Amino acid sequence: MSGESPKAILYALAANTGIAICKYAAAAFTGSGSMFAEAIHSTADCGNQLLLLFGLRQSREPPTPLHPMGAGRAINFYSLLVALLLFFVGGAFSVYEGVHRLIAREPLQYAYVALAVLGISVVLEAFSLYGALREIRKGSPTKSLWRWARETRDSDLLVVAGEDIAALAGLAIAFAAVLLTVITGNPVWDACGSIGVGVLLMLISWFIAREVKSMIVGESASPEMRRDIEAFLRARPEIRGIISLITLQWGKEVVVAVQAEMIDYDHSRAMVEAINVIEADLQAKFPVVRWVFFEPDFVKR
């Protein structure tokens, strides 16, 4: 995410806190299992956003002898924690609550209150998702949402967008479940809605965890950035050919390791100076590239 990430997370935290309070009140007033599941979901979202804020703060810690490249990837760890919380606190508990109410068959009271709260929540969550999508479009204006989710290196933005999508879809399920309960008078629909919300949350959290795990293991820079860096290097007159190029996403920043065959120089000092110029120009063109490791070599012919 961009430098506006903390602001976006704070907005989402404030909105979800208000939504959670309304949902708990509506769940207690109506006895709706689907509403209670949604309240648990909103509570999990609040905790998740606090974890993301903490993770962003940790990722900005300066380099130390123990962590010479800084703590940029700390945000990936906290994003994984968020995905696990979304699975267990949001998803598994919602399924448990739905199964419990399916067995108990507790009647739903004041259903129109639940429907009103769910409708208001849809509007607020849609506004939050719009903010996340706007951030996504800033960096990837031409990509589909699915392609962006598979290729993004912004774990915190992936979590926020995933939570918002899960919230909207969950609200739609809960709204349909409560409405069917009102129409049929059968509380089974409400219990099934709670189970449906839980299953949805578990599926989305599994997807987020899988993507973030790949980032923790170590991913290259985005395909576009890697192509641009390679094209930049191949266009340099000082370089005869690229032997090897490795990029590594390190939180919000990128590590670049280059092995290249240089043109002929009269002495080693001139080659070192040429490499220094290439590294400075590379970092000027790609500000996210913080570390450049350049090895001159030659191709055996």
Side-chain angles (χ1 to χ4, degrees), residues 218-272:
E219 287 187 337
S220 66
S222 66
E224 294 89 345
M225 176 164 287
R226 193 188 186 285
R227 285 195 298 268
D228 290 345
I229 290 174
E230 183 172 2
F232 171 85
L233 292 171
R234 291 191 182 280
R236 298 292 303 199
E238 304 95 332
I239 297 177
R240 180 170 289 143
I242 302 296
I243 302 172
S244 173
L245 172 63
I246 297 174
T247 63
L248 178 65
Q249 192 73 35
W250 198 270
K252 303 295 183 185
E253 297 168 322
V254 174
V255 183
V256 176
V258 184
Q259 187 181 28
E261 183 177 13
M262 305 293 289
I263 62 174
D264 295 329
Y265 286 91
D266 294 334
H267 49 82
S268 59
R269 183 180 181 84
M271 180 183 292
V272 171

Side-chain angles (χ1 to χ4, degrees), residues 42-101:
S42 294
T43 302
D45 282 351
C46 292
N48 293 344
Q49 282 138 19
L50 288 172
L51 273 175
L52 287 178
L53 287 171
F54 184 75
L56 282 173
R57 181 178 178 183
Q58 290 287 305
S59 68
R60 292 168 182 160
E61 291 292 325
T64 65
L66 182 61
H67 300 103
M69 297 178 70
R73 291 169 73 176
I75 186 59
N76 297 337
F77 169 74
Y78 286 98
S79 296
L80 182 61
L81 286 185
V82 167
L84 294 176
L85 284 174
L86 189 64
F87 185 95
F88 290 107
V89 178
F93 189 84
S94 295
V95 171
Y96 166 80
E97 180 66 20
V99 172
H100 171 73
R101 290 180 180 270

Side-chain angles (χ1 to χ4, degrees), residues 25-191:
F29 191 64
T30 64
S32 168
S34 295
M35 180 60 69
F36 187 68
E38 278 296 313
I40 293 296
H41 176 197
S42 294
T43 302
D45 282 351
C46 292
N48 293 344
Q49 282 138 19
L50 288 172
L51 273 175
L52 287 178
L53 287 171
F54 184 75
L56 282 173
R57 181 178 178 183
Q58 290 287 305
S59 68
R60 292 168 182 160
E61 291 292 325
T64 65
L66 182 61
H67 300 103
M69 297 178 70
R73 291 169 73 176
I75 186 59
N76 297 337
F77 169 74
Y78 286 98
S79 296
L80 182 61
L81 286 185
V82 167
L84 294 176
L85 284 174
L86 189 64
F87 185 95
F88 290 107
V89 178
F93 189 84
S94 295
V95 171
Y96 166 80
E97 180 66 20
V99 172
H100 171 73
R101 290 180 180 270
L102 193 61
I103 296 172
R105 300 288 180 91
E106 298 177 3
L108 180 64
Q109 300 175 345
Y110 306 104
Y112 294 105
V113 175
L115 291 172
V117 171
L118 288 171
I120 294 172
S121 299
V122 166
V123 174
L124 294 175
E125 289 290 359
F127 180 77
S128 179
L129 179 59
Y130 170 78
L133 292 176
R134 185 174 58 183
E135 291 297 316
I136 291 170
R137 292 299 171 222
K138 284 181 182 179
S140 305
T142 60
K143 288 184 182 180
S144 67
L145 185 60
W146 173 252
R147 183 184 169 196
W148 171 85
R150 294 304 310 274
E151 296 182 356
T152 183
R153 303 304 189 256
D154 283 328
S155 59
D156 45 345
L157 183 53
L158 176 65
V159 170
V160 171
E163 280 185 342
D164 287 340
I165 292 171
L168 272 177
L171 286 167
I173 292 173
F175 190 93
V178 173
L179 188 60
L180 285 170
T181 302
V182 172
I183 294 173
T184 63
N186 188 348
V188 169
W189 287 109
D190 183 55

